[in-house]
Amino acid sequence: MSPAEMEQLCLNSMTGAKDFGGTEDTAVITLVTPKGWKAPSKFPRGYLLQVKDDGSRLWHFKSKRVLQWLRSQAGDA
C-alpha cells in the first residue's frame, strides 16, 4: 500500500465515521502486517486484533493519528 492509498483510507474512514454520527476521533482503520513487521519511527501505536496462521497480524489504528504520521513523513521528504 502506498502512502497516498493509506492517506485516502484514513480520510474515507473519518468521513464514514462522521456520516454514521461519530467523530473523526472515533474513526479507525485495520491494517494487515507480515510476520516480523517493525513499525517505522514515530508510527502510532495500534491494538493487535489477531495473529493469523501464516504469522501475519491484524492491527487496529486510529485514522487521525495515522493520517498525522503520514503528513509528518511527507514533510520530512
Side-chain angles (χ1 to χ4, degrees):
M1 176 180 292
S2 72
E5 291 171 329
M6 192 179 291
E7 182 174 355
Q8 190 60 48
L9 178 68
C10 291
L11 291 171
N12 290 346
S13 174
M14 290 165 48
T15 300
K18 284 194 268 183
D19 290 347
F20 285 100
T23 64
E24 290 182 349
D25 294 328
T26 61
V28 295
I29 60 170
T30 301
L31 298 177
V32 179
T33 61
K35 182 178 182 179
W37 177 76
K38 290 279 202 178
S41 177
K42 307 282 185 183
F43 196 79
R45 288 188 181 198
Y47 298 97
L48 180 62
L49 298 175
Q50 182 179 19
V51 177
K52 307 289 266 175
D53 290 337
D54 64 358
S56 62
R57 286 152 167 72
L58 290 155
W59 291 91
H60 175 92
F61 296 97
K62 290 194 177 259
S63 300
K64 193 171 187 178
R65 289 185 180 170
V66 174
L67 186 60
Q68 289 170 342
W69 179 82
L70 284 167
R71 291 181 174 167
S72 74
Q73 296 304 302
D76 291 345

